[in-house]
């Protein structure tokens, strides 16, 4: 767990704008600034200006901007997992977890690039990891194997979701140009040089669509196949 800022150091008086600072408010404001201006907006100076406080007051809640990035990453996980209750079907539950992660990243596409590769060491991430490993243990995998398989599962989910979020964070003109390429550039290739693309030409416009769910389903099918040979779940 990270070394958290002691409670007694936290501000108990309103800022000059009349706002009572809190960790949640700072994270909310940071997400808004990143959403509006990109990751480069995450600075103590800009946060102080947005919150109407002296920038040094933020150090009563976070040790620095990296500490805040970890809190942002954990907030995205927490919001995504809010209300999630695993069911008896471990495959369906892992699939729902994956879809929730994707939705969380797409809700904050500019912050997703900062969050996907970090280990937050905070409660939301810890709970999510415990849930995911527990689901794989319920499928019959031994704890150590469940942990390794969960890593493969969540790394795939996070990477795919982060890539999709990064695309959504691009300016509209760039996104439209990339989509248009599948409908135009890839439809006018030399068949002799690109026989496979020519054979699949009618399907290529769909390459602009998300493959997230199909990729997750392929991964879950592989996990289910391995679980079938793992034996029954351990008692207790």
């Amino acid at each position: 767990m990270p070394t958290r800022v002691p409670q007694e150091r936290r501000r108990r008086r309103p800022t000059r704008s009349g706002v009572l600072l809190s960790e949640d408010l700072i994270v909310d404001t940071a997400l808004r600034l990143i959403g509006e201006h990109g990751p480069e907006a995450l600075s103590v100076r800009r946060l102080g200006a947005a919150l109407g406080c002296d920038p040094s007051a933020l150090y009563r809640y976070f040790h620095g901007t990296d500490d805040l990035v970890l809190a942002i990453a954990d907030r995205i996980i927490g919001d995504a997992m809010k209300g999630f209750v695993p069911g008896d079907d471990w495959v369906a539950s892992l699939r729902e977890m994956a879809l929730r992660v994707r939705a969380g990243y797409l809700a904050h596409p500019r912050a997703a690039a900062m969050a996907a590769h970090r280990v937050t060491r905070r409660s939301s991430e810890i709970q999510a990891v415990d849930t995911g490993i527990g689901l794989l243990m319920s499928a019959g995998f031994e704890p150590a194997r469940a942990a390794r398989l969960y890593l493969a599962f969540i790394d795939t989910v996070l990477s795919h979701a982060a890539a999709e979020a990064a695309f959504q964070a691009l300016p509209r003109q760039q996104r439209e140009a990339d989509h248009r390429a599948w409908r135009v550039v890839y439809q006018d290739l030399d068949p002799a040089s690109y026989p496979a693309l020519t054979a699949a030409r009618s399907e290529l416009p769909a390459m602009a669509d998300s493959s997230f769910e199909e990729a997750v389903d392929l991964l879950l099918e592989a996990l289910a196949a391995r679980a079938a040979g793992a034996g029954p779940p351990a008692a207790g």
Side-chain angles (χ1 to χ4, degrees):
M1 294 291 288
T3 302
R4 306 303 296 274
V5 178
Q7 183 70 33
E8 60 270 16
R9 287 180 54 197
R10 298 180 183 179
R11 187 182 188 94
R12 298 182 182 278
R13 302 185 306 276
T15 67
R16 60 176 176 266
S17 62
V19 174
L20 282 171
L21 287 182
S22 68
E23 286 189 10
D24 283 342
L25 177 61
I26 294 168
V27 171
D28 287 341
T29 304
L31 280 169
R32 177 174 60 80
L33 288 175
I34 294 168
E36 292 174 354
H37 307 291
E40 62 275 8
L42 189 63
S43 71
V44 172
R45 181 185 60 81
R46 293 189 74 164
L47 276 169
L51 289 162
C53 70
D54 189 293
S56 64
L58 301 176
Y59 291 107
R60 297 172 182 169
Y61 298 84
F62 299 99
H63 291 294
T65 53
D66 192 63
D67 193 26
L68 177 55
V69 167
L70 297 180
I72 290 169
D74 206 63
R75 164 67 73 78
I76 294 174
I77 296 170
D79 287 350
M81 293 295 110
K82 189 175 297 181
F84 173 63
V85 178
D88 295 333
D89 185 335
W90 65 271
V91 172
S93 295
L94 282 176
R95 191 177 195 277
E96 183 178 347
M97 283 186 69
L99 293 176
R100 283 171 171 267
V101 168
R102 178 197 187 201
Y105 278 16
L106 291 180
H108 303 285
R110 288 183 159 186
M114 306 170 67
H117 61 289
R118 302 305 305 272
V119 179
T120 77
R121 318 150 172 82
R122 286 164 164 80
S123 60
S124 295
E125 176 190 76
I126 292 170
Q127 183 60 59
V129 174
D130 184 76
T131 298
I133 293 175
L135 284 167
L136 287 166
M137 288 173 60
S138 75
F141 295 108
E142 293 296 324
R145 186 62 176 152
R148 290 299 303 171
L149 291 173
Y150 177 74
L151 176 62
F153 168 78
I154 200 62
D155 275 358
T156 301
V157 168
L158 290 172
S159 298
H160 207 308
E164 195 168 338
F167 179 76
Q168 292 301 320
L170 290 173
R172 179 176 56 83
Q173 294 87 343
Q174 293 181 20
R175 285 185 278 119
E176 290 178 350
D178 284 359
H179 281 156
R180 189 165 55 251
W182 294 108
R183 300 192 306 271
V184 179
V185 176
Y186 278 80
Q187 298 298 309
D188 192 27
L189 298 175
D190 176 20
S193 299
Y194 305 102
L197 287 172
T198 300
R201 182 170 6 200
S202 63
E203 298 300 320
L204 293 181
M207 298 286 277
D209 300 335
S210 170
S211 64
F212 183 88
E213 293 192 45
E214 185 169 4
V216 168
D217 287 341
L218 286 170
L219 182 54
L220 290 173
E221 286 172 12
L223 287 172
R226 292 193 179 190

